[in-house]
Amino acid sequence: MKTSARFTVVLTRPCLVGALGVIALVVGPASANKDPVTPQQLKAYEDAFMEQVRIGDLLFHGDAALAKKMNVVLTTTGMACAMCHPFASDTHPQAFPKYQVSMNKFATLRDMINWCIEKPNQGEKIDSDSDAMKALEAYIYWSNTGSVLVPGKY
Amino acid sequence: MSELDRERRELATVLQRPGVRPDPLLRITRRTFVHRSCLTGAATVAQTFAWWPLLNTIDVAYAAEEPFKFAWVSDTHLYPKSVNTRFVEKVQRAAREVQAMNPPADFMIFGGDLAQLGRANELELGVELLNEVKIRKVFIPGEHDWYYDMGAKWKQLFDKPNWTFDHKGVRFIGLDTVTRGPDYWTVRKMSPEERMDHMATLDGSVAGPWAGVGRDQLDWVQKTLADWDKARPVVIFSHNPLYEYYPPWNFWVRDWREVNEVLKPYTNVTNIHGHVHQVLYNEIGTMRSIGMLATSWPWPYAPEGVPKLTKPMIRADPGDFYDGVGWETLSMNKDRIETQYVMWGRKEVFVQSPPDSSLSQPEILRPRIADQIWPY
């Protein structure tokens, strides 16, 4: 009751209408989580994900123009990820994290992506939180949808 | 049921009937005995691992007039030297080794995909590197060689994409399985570079089911074999396998039914093919089919459709550019053909236990999407 009373007071002061807008902006996304999801929201969430999958797909298949735009050098040999991993096969994202023999260390999928960029592709290692890395990861996971999680498997 | 499942069932029903095998006069060796065991039993991958002996040869009954050897090199995927010297060095190595064979090979087959992007300088580089091999060389095209200029340079260098010759009692046929792809470029107004880029992407969806033999070429095969005794040996070279293994990567020819109809009367047919960059073995009706390594890089096995008669090759180390790749020698004498995989950097070509194989890690895969979004 106390909160409502204060809110009413705020609403009655025209000079604070601008502040209300700010509050709505801050509270809006939080309260959206409390409401049943709408088809429009679902589509927006899926679109946000699929856009990353699309970007990852292009990078994975050697789209040089996009790599340049994203300021990454994923290869210098003409090799692209998909040349050894069609459909992102044999990437086995479901097996990470694991001890990765080729790196001689406990590794994540992002470590492995960077290893492939640096060794077979002879490109430049990318930041593990970069947009390009997230997109590559999104594509690899999406492409392996339905594979059973087996973390640690050789 | 998916289209792929429907194809598989049809392939099994039509081509893998009980009792139908290549050459009934097959010499019984340990290896062929194992093949028969696999066929009559429920040969799961795990059982196949357990059943196969530690051999790296494939023995087939043959009736060649005198023993001889030939070599196979394919899938070199050359870029210009300015882009990539790794593939160049591997072709140089293969050429040196083929030339050093003792006793020498009677001839060398090049099984397609000499170039990566079909450019004239890539094809010319291939010719230059293979000049080290002084024995007779015959070429069939791969899709990477063809779709930049629709085979203009390839034909200038190597003449016809299909051919036949007889050698010491064996009829050899080189087939063209790549040039009859559906036209995906005209309505989309693609440049030659764009057309080639789509064709050069194994898991792309734009070029579609491009692998096929074609009615005209099948009629030519039928005519070529018309005067050949049906029990005498025939060896057919093709870039793609002549059966249905994994269509999304064109690990097949789309007219495998018609190919089988033409070859069915002949009981001693061996198909040697490239494109898959991996060890493969299958028996389809009365035909044996053997997959060859690339010199460039290995492809992983497809997530489904790997023939049960295939003993998988070992999982390659991506840090070693010479692993999982190489070339082959094929020896023929009066009662056998022996295929030896020359895999650089490995003593054991075949898996020794399930963890050696990428197939031990089941995966469910989805086709790519980005090439289906406008403009393609």
Side-chain angles (χ1 to χ4, degrees), chain A residues 10-24:
Chain A
V10 167
L11 282 175
T12 56
R13 294 183 182 175
C15 64
L16 290 177
V17 169
L20 178 66
V22 174
I23 291 165

Side-chain angles (χ1 to χ4, degrees), chain A residues 62 64 67 72-81 116-117 120-124:
Chain A
V72 289
V73 181
L74 302 181
T75 180
T76 60
T77 57
M79 293 294 289
C81 310
C116 283
I117 291 170
N121 284 10
Q122 293 176 13
E124 294 169 11

